Amino acid sequence: MRYFRIREDKALGYTGYVNAGHKWGLPGVDTCPACKATWSATGTDYPSVDLSPVVALADFVEARAEPIEEYERLRELVRPLLPPGAVVKPGSCFGPLVGTAQGRFGQFVANYSAVLMVRREALEKLQAEGLRGLKGCRMEVRFRQRNSPELLELELLHVGRLHPKCLPPLEPPCPRCGRQGLTMPKEPVLDAATLPSDLDLFRLVDMATLIVCTERFAEACQRLGLDGIVFLPLPAEG
C-alpha cells in the first residue's frame, strides 16, 4: 500500500477562504511544573463532539492557557463525550467550525494545515466508492455570497506514527504534561507497523497536522475529478 500527504492545491487559482474556529476547546497548559513549558497542540480536533451537556460550558469558549491542574479538570469533564481512543491534548477543540467564508471553492478546502473540509456532494461520491474513515461534520459558517457550497469538516482519527529514522534523537515526553516538542521533519517517513488497515484517511498520533491518505483515496479523488488538494508521496518503512 502506498500513502500520501494531503496539502492544499494553490495552483488552481481558487479564492475560497474559511475564517473560522471550533466552538469549544480545552485551554493550553501554562508553565508545566515539570518541564516549565507553556503550550497547546494543533490538530486534535473533534467537530462531532457536542459539549452542550457539560456543566460550566463557558470554561471551554475562550482560548487561553491555564495551570495544568485546571486543564486536567476540564479534560476529565469532556473525556466521556469523546470517540473511543481519542487523543486529547492541551488546546484540543470540539464542535463545529464557526465563522465566515467567501470566494470560489474547489471540492476540497484545506486553507488550514490541520483541517480538511469537503463539499457534501464530493464526500458522498467518495463514500459510495467504499472508502473508509470518512466522517463529515456540519459547520456553522456564514458565506458572504449567493450560491454557496455546503462544506463539511472531516473528522480524522489519530492513528499511525512517524518512523524513528526521520526524527532526531528525542527526549522522553514530559511525565507531567506529556509534551515532547516534536517538529515536522523535512522528509517524513511513516512507521508501516503502526498504520491502520481499515482507514483510507487519517492523521498521525505524534504529528497531528500531517493528514495521510491511502492510494485508494488518492486514486478515487483523481478518478472522480475532486480537486482542491494535492497528494505528496509518503514513504512507509517497517
Side-chain angles (χ1 to χ4, degrees), residues 63-82:
R64 66 198 187 282
E66 293 278 7
I68 192 168
E69 293 82 6
E70 175 66 1
Y71 157 72
E72 290 172 337
R73 182 185 74 83
L74 295 175
R75 179 191 63 194
E76 295 312 304
L77 291 178
V78 305
R79 194 183 292 280
L81 303 175
L82 301 180

Side-chain angles (χ1 to χ4, degrees), residues 21-171:
H22 290 96
K23 195 166 189 176
W24 303 292
L26 286 171
V29 166
D30 185 6
T31 315
C32 169
C35 69
K36 310 304 179 185
T38 295
W39 69 286
S40 64
T42 301
T44 49
D45 304 328
Y46 299 95
S48 71
V49 172
D50 181 5
L51 295 193
S52 297
V54 176
V55 177
L57 193 57
D59 289 339
F60 299 90
V61 174
E62 181 183 356
R64 66 198 187 282
E66 293 278 7
I68 192 168
E69 293 82 6
E70 175 66 1
Y71 157 72
E72 290 172 337
R73 182 185 74 83
L74 295 175
R75 179 191 63 194
E76 295 312 304
L77 291 178
V78 305
R79 194 183 292 280
L81 303 175
L82 301 180
V87 173
V88 188
K89 295 182 179 181
S92 290
C93 292
F94 315 99
L97 283 170
V98 179
T100 60
Q102 61 182 342
R104 189 167 59 89
F105 293 88
Q107 297 299 304
F108 283 95
V109 181
N111 61 247
Y112 294 107
S113 63
V115 175
L116 183 60
M117 294 164 275
V118 63
R119 290 177 181 252
R120 178 179 290 278
E121 60 269 24
L123 176 60
E124 291 173 349
K125 289 178 181 179
L126 290 170
Q127 290 171 331
E129 293 282 321
L131 295 173
R132 304 157 300 176
L134 306 184
K135 182 177 183 180
C137 301
R138 68 179 184 87
M139 298 165 51
E140 295 181 4
V141 171
R142 293 180 291 105
F143 285 84
R144 297 175 177 176
Q145 63 207 47
R146 294 182 178 179
N147 302 319
S148 57
E150 182 180 2
L151 294 179
L152 302 172
E153 181 184 356
L154 289 168
E155 184 170 85
L156 307 177
L157 298 179
H158 298 75
V159 191
R161 294 180 178 273
L162 292 169
H163 196 284
K165 70 172 291 183
C166 72
L167 301 172
L170 298 173
E171 295 291 331

